[in-house]
Amino acid sequence: MTSSSSPSQDAKRTAHAYPECLRADALMEEDVAWSHEIDGERDGEQFDRSERAALRRVVGLSTELEDVTEVEYRQLRLERVVLVGVWTTGTVQDADNSLAELAALAETAGALVLDGVIQRRDKPDAATYIGSGKALELRDIVMETGADTVICDGELSPGQLIQLEDVVKVKVIDRTALILDIFAQHAKSREGKAQVALAQMQYMLPRLRGWGQSLSRQMGGGRGGLATRGPGETKIETDRRRIREKMAKMRREIADMKTGREIKRQERRRNKVPSVAIAGYTNAGKSSLLNRLTGAGVLVENALFATLDPTVRRAETPSGRLYTLADTVGFVRHLPHHLVEAFRSTMEEVGDSDLILHVVDGSHPVPEEQLAAVREVIRDVGATGVPEIVVINKADAADPLVLQRLLRVEKRSIAVSARTGQGIAELLALIDEELPRPEVEVEALVPYTHGKLVARAHTEGEVISEEHTAEGTLLKVRVHEELAADLAPYTPVSAG
């Protein structure tokens, strides 16, 4: 009788008969066999068996680390935002421009803009800013794009912030908070940091929230012992009181810094040095112009509010007259009231100047809006009586028709390019012409032993002519009354 073996027994014998590698090759024999007739018709890249079994890197799943030991070079994940605007007045182009500026602000703050929507309304909704139905649509957009923040193009009330967050389920901030965040990133000087901190506390004070135990009483009750009876103070009330105390302290510090700035201004006034302030919309090229005129070396960056701290530099007109040139903080439409108040001491540089160089971006689609926004802030700080020269910057990149329109509308204006130097010589000549001149014209023969008077005439006045004679220096100058009185003893007696 022949014995029959079961399949399992055959498999065991086969397993013992073949080494492991040969058994694997036999199992994969079909995959190894490749023929042009069969496999040549397959689409896509064909891999060898070893390559099929190997781990393959999936493109697009990198951790952005070149080397796990170099953690400090990792790129930070940008906050992903959706922009929301309410169009109440003006044209649709005005609404689009406002949202485009909000996108530039968000990118300056370090966010990644995913989408932007505009809602047409007569006025913002009192509850959710854009209305309950549109808020639900906004939630769908947030979920589709994977955004983690919504930025509203306006200043929201505390109630609007809370209710809109409840609907969209992500963080909601407004234009004011965004600008404050940019200012906090870019403030470098002690005064700038203090001003930004004050503005942030003013903004946050009415927007404090309390959850759970934050609303419980901190003290009070009939059995609490001495000095603890009464309703007590909630945690949120305690926070508000502390913020008010910090704000009072910050105002005192800013007032002390203002005193130092005022002393410097008084010194310049005493020396009769004219002052010129550069004002203008953010990213219009104010710092570039200051560098071009004085070689100040101020940070220049294609970003909004790249420089916040005012910079004052000495400059000289083509005729040799000395003056100071001050670069001020940039302005923007709907500049938060908190910032105007906090930066008032800085903006006083504009009000105390003898001449304002109002810089506007000539390459902007609607530069007239920039001019109007800046003039509104200038009016707020009480500098409407200061003479103004409109400097149309970026002329090399501007539309010639826009330049012609601005030069025609603005009577005291000039087109320049701080990058290429176009029009800078003409601007210097215009500054020399517009700066206030000393009121008294004096001719004096100053002995060589009184060279300090000659130096003062060059520094504080305007030298018309100068001649060195055997008796001394013959000057014909235009000076202020105090220096004219000092030069009076040396006025030559007229013949006859």
Side-chain angles (χ1 to χ4, degrees):
M1 179 186 290
T2 58
S3 63
S4 62
S5 60
S6 65
S8 60
Q9 291 174 340
D10 292 339
K12 289 180 181 179
R13 284 197 295 269
T14 305
H16 289 295
Y18 290 92
E20 186 70 24
C21 61
L22 297 178
R23 183 166 59 88
D25 288 343
L27 292 173
M28 302 293 287
E29 188 66 31
E30 183 180 347
D31 289 337
V32 174
W34 185 91
S35 66
H36 180 75
E37 292 78 9
I38 298 174
D39 297 303
E41 300 299 327
R42 294 179 183 174
D43 60 342
E45 186 178 2
Q46 304 301 315
F47 296 99
D48 292 337
R49 175 168 48 83
S50 59
E51 291 179 338
R52 294 182 194 179
L55 291 174
R56 295 196 302 274
R57 184 178 297 277
V58 180
V59 178
L61 298 183
S62 171
T63 61
E64 300 177 347
L65 285 178
E66 295 295 332
D67 183 352
V68 292
T69 62
E70 303 294 335
V71 179
E72 63 271 23
Y73 294 115
R74 180 175 56 191
Q75 297 178 2
L76 296 177
R77 177 181 176 276
L78 298 180
E79 199 163 349
R80 300 160 64 85
V81 301
V82 171
L83 310 180
V84 182
V86 172
W87 171 27
T88 56
T89 58
T91 63
V92 65
Q93 185 63 40
D94 295 336
D96 290 343
N97 290 339
S98 181
L99 206 67
E101 183 177 275
L102 186 68
L105 288 168
E107 290 174 358
T108 301
L112 179 63
V113 179
L114 301 177
D115 203 351
V117 292
I118 297 176
Q119 162 71 347
R120 183 71 172 95
R121 297 180 63 93
D122 294 334
K123 61 180 181 179
D125 182 63
T128 60
Y129 182 67
I130 56 176
S132 57
K134 294 299 179 183
L136 292 174
E137 293 182 22
L138 177 62
R139 182 184 64 185
D140 295 338
I141 294 174
V142 168
M143 294 177 64
E144 290 173 6
T145 57
D148 43 36
T149 304
V150 170
I151 304 179
C152 298
D153 191 16
E155 185 166 342
L156 273 62
S157 67
Q160 287 173 323
L161 279 171
I162 294 172
Q163 295 194 49
L164 191 57
E165 276 189 357
D166 289 341
V167 176
V168 299
K169 305 301 181 184
V170 295
K171 182 174 68 174
V172 176
I173 64 173
D174 57 13
R175 184 188 184 95
T176 301
L178 179 62
I179 294 176
L180 286 170
D181 182 77
I182 297 172
F183 272 52
Q185 292 180 44
H186 292 178
K188 296 294 185 289
S189 69
R190 179 167 170 259
E191 183 175 9
K193 290 178 180 179
Q195 290 167 332
V196 172
L198 176 60
Q200 287 179 318
M201 286 187 285
Q202 286 177 321
Y203 174 79
M204 288 303 300
L205 184 60
R207 292 171 174 81
L208 288 180
R209 308 180 196 177
W211 292 273
Q213 293 299 317
S214 296
L215 296 177
S216 63
R217 300 291 173 181
Q218 301 301 299
M219 56 183 293
R223 294 178 295 175
L226 295 176
T228 60
R229 295 178 178 85
E233 190 176 37
T234 64
K235 178 66 166 57
I236 196 169
E237 289 169 347
T238 304
D239 292 341
R240 285 176 178 158
R241 175 171 52 80
R242 288 174 177 170
I243 287 180
R244 290 191 186 98
E245 292 172 355
K246 288 183 179 179
M247 287 171 59
K249 179 182 177 182
M250 204 68 69
R251 287 193 180 98
R252 289 193 296 270
E253 291 180 1
I254 293 175
D256 293 340
M257 299 176 198
K258 179 182 176 182
T259 302
R261 190 180 295 276
E262 184 61 31
I263 290 173
K264 293 179 182 178
R265 288 200 198 105
Q266 290 176 356
E267 184 69 17
R268 293 198 295 266
R269 292 193 200 103
R270 188 178 66 82
N271 292 330
K272 305 297 181 181
V273 179
S275 62
V276 178
I278 302 178
Y281 213 77
T282 180
N283 206 30
K286 300 182 300 300
S287 298
S288 299
L289 185 64
L290 178 70
N291 291 342
R292 173 66 70 170
L293 293 176
T294 65
V298 178
L299 169 68
V300 174
E301 187 177 351
N302 185 22
L304 306 186
F305 301 115
T307 51
L308 292 183
D309 305 317
T311 304
V312 181
R313 291 290 184 271
R314 289 182 60 180
E316 189 173 330
T317 65
S319 64
R321 299 171 61 197
L322 291 177
Y323 66 96
T324 62
L325 199 60
D327 181 19
T328 61
V329 63
F331 303 146
V332 71
R333 76 180 83 191
H334 312 307
L335 189 68
H337 179 71
H338 314 296
L339 286 177
V340 176
E341 287 299 318
F343 279 79
R344 184 169 293 277
S345 62
T346 301
M347 294 176 181
E348 285 175 357
E349 293 284 354
V350 178
D352 290 342
S353 62
D354 297 300
L355 180 66
I356 296 175
L357 297 184
H358 186 164
V359 183
V360 61
D361 184 357
S363 63
H364 191 270
V366 192
E368 290 85 358
E369 291 184 1
Q370 293 190 352
L371 288 168
V374 173
R375 282 170 176 159
E376 181 180 352
V377 180
I378 290 176
R379 186 165 54 249
D380 289 343
V381 298
T384 53
V386 182
E388 175 191 69
I389 297 176
V390 176
V391 182
I392 308 168
N393 194 22
K394 306 182 183 178
D396 55 323
D399 185 349
L401 294 178
V402 174
L403 286 180
Q404 292 176 12
R405 185 176 75 238
L406 286 174
L407 291 171
R408 183 175 63 253
V409 173
E410 300 293 338
K411 302 304 179 184
R412 292 154 57 91
S413 59
I414 183 171
V416 304
S417 172
R419 186 176 69 87
T420 64
Q422 172 189 343
I424 296 299
E426 292 81 357
L427 175 60
L428 287 170
L430 188 58
I431 292 174
D432 195 359
E433 181 182 335
E434 294 292 336
L435 280 177
R437 297 180 176 275
E439 58 274 14
V440 183
E441 187 173 315
V442 177
E443 186 173 352
L445 182 62
V446 182
Y448 290 120
T449 55
H450 293 72
K452 287 186 178 180
L453 283 176
V454 178
R456 284 183 61 192
H458 280 277
T459 304
E460 304 174 21
E462 180 182 358
V463 178
I464 302 173
S465 65
E466 182 179 14
E467 182 183 351
H468 299 286
T469 65
E471 292 80 13
T473 305
L474 182 61
L475 289 174
K476 187 176 183 181
V477 294
R478 188 178 285 112
V479 294
H480 52 84
E481 293 181 355
E482 182 182 348
L483 183 54
D486 294 338
L487 290 172
Y490 308 105
T491 303
V493 181
S494 57

